[in-house]
Amino acid sequence: MRRWVAVVALWLVLRAVARQVPALPSIMDKTFIEDCVHVHNELRTTVRPAASNMRYMTWDSALARTARAWANKCIFKHNVHLSKKHQCHPNFTSIGENIWAGSHQAFSVADAIKSWYNEVRFYTIATQKCTKVCSHYIQVVWDYSYKIGCAVTLCKEIAGIRNAANFICNYSPSGNFPRKPYVEGKWCSNCAKGDNCENKLCRNPERDKIIYYSRWHPPWEFRIVCDEACIALVVLRPLLMILAFVAVYFIKKRFTNMHMST
């Protein structure tokens, strides 16, 4: 009986430990996707002076897989494969990237993206001068970028932060070329032919199509990615097997002297 109590206690401890692990969203989490897209588009409508040709952004699953694959490496530097053809996307060859790392308890999609946008205070669009770091802001508001894919993963340590959330967004086409990030002017006054204006942004049905690229993954991603369901299966299966063996053992021991009679 004492052994059975010990097994149950061990199971409760393992369950409590598992609950302490932060549940960061996957790249298939609908709320996560909606937040990434919405916050970017919302910030793109707040640029001053106004943008005449700012495109609307939509989700791209291939960019999200690339973001996840690089985030899982827990290296606080830009993806070394970004400039290599078809290494980060099956179609796009021009891909940008923003990275945020911080405490997993403090992570939120909105706060991370806004921290990139807030670099606007160091940037003067009229002269294209930057007094500190502006590249993250410029990518967030880059007019031609219209596809985005983001991912966040837990790292034991990154950028000197323990148990950190490593949040990465990839964009296409990429920004940060030697020009202004957008054309100034009345909202949507310079949208491309065939575009519609929606909430100050240029939208196009063809450009905004969601493609899933179900069979594509970054060719340099050697690690098997395990989502929440996979982790639960990996952890619970051996635990249930142990509990089953313990139960059988105690049942046999308990009823070893019992006989069946008719």
Side-chain angles (χ1 to χ4, degrees):
M1 187 64 182
R2 290 180 180 177
R3 291 182 182 179
W4 176 252
V5 172
V7 171
V8 173
L10 176 61
W11 178 76
L12 292 173
V13 170
L14 291 173
R15 187 178 179 184
V17 171
R19 286 180 174 178
Q20 292 176 3
V21 177
L24 295 174
S26 75
I27 62 173
M28 293 178 287
D29 185 292
K30 290 184 179 180
T31 300
F32 175 74
I33 293 172
E34 290 172 358
D35 288 347
C36 290
V37 172
H38 172 74
V39 175
H40 272 90
N41 284 323
E42 189 68 23
L43 291 173
R44 287 162 75 84
T45 67
T46 64
V47 295
R48 294 291 182 272
S52 65
N53 65 331
M54 188 72 75
R55 289 174 168 179
Y56 179 84
M57 282 186 168
T58 53
W59 188 256
D60 186 281
S61 60
L63 290 176
R65 288 185 204 127
T66 292
R68 180 182 64 185
W70 190 251
N72 279 331
K73 292 183 179 295
C74 294
I75 303 172
F76 194 62
K77 67 178 184 178
H78 285 294
N79 190 333
V80 297
H81 306 283
L82 289 177
S83 61
K84 300 174 184 177
K85 190 174 182 179
H86 302 317
Q87 292 295 298
C88 294
H89 198 279
N91 295 331
F92 293 123
T93 56
S94 173
I95 299 170
E97 182 181 68
N98 278 347
I99 303 175
W100 178 96
S103 168
H104 70 264
Q105 295 99 332
F107 171 73
S108 81
V109 169
D111 289 345
I113 298 172
K114 287 176 182 177
S115 73
W116 297 331
Y117 183 88
N118 287 340
E119 291 176 1
V120 65
R121 64 186 183 274
F122 306 124
Y123 183 71
T124 304
I125 191 170
T127 59
Q128 299 182 59
K129 296 296 183 181
C130 179
T131 59
K132 199 172 181 182
V133 177
C134 308
S135 59
H136 304 94
Y137 162 75
I138 292 173
Q139 177 60 84
V140 170
V141 301
W142 194 258
D143 51 5
Y144 282 1
S145 298
Y146 65 91
K147 285 296 182 182
I148 183 175
C150 304
V152 60
T153 190
L154 180 68
C155 295
K156 289 183 178 180
E157 184 173 347
I158 186 171
I161 305 168
R162 294 186 61 82
N163 296 320
N166 187 23
F167 178 60
I168 296 178
C169 286
N170 286 135
Y171 309 80
S172 197
S174 65
N176 285 300
F177 292 103
R179 68 166 175 85
K180 293 182 179 181
Y182 58 86
V183 178
E184 301 165 51
K186 183 180 178 181
W187 293 107
C188 292
S189 62
N190 199 28
C191 290
K193 185 178 180 180
D195 284 6
N196 300 310
C197 184
E198 183 178 315
N199 190 27
K200 303 178 182 180
L201 301 176
C202 304
R203 298 201 63 174
N204 184 290
E206 282 298 314
R207 193 169 60 232
D208 294 348
K209 279 184 178 178
I210 306 298
I211 303 173
Y212 293 100
Y213 305 102
S214 58
R215 296 184 179 180
W216 185 88
H217 290 271
W220 42 269
E221 182 184 25
F222 301 110
R223 178 177 172 180
I224 297 175
V225 178
C226 195
D227 60 16
E228 290 86 349
C230 168
I231 293 172
L233 185 63
V234 170
V235 172
L236 290 177
R237 178 176 285 181
L239 183 60
L240 290 173
M241 288 181 64
I242 293 171
L243 291 175
F245 280 121
V246 171
V248 170
Y249 170 79
F250 279 105
I251 289 172
K252 286 185 175 180
K253 188 174 182 180
R254 175 69 175 173
F255 299 105
T256 185
N257 295 321
M258 290 187 66
H259 299 279
M260 295 210 40
S261 58
T262 56

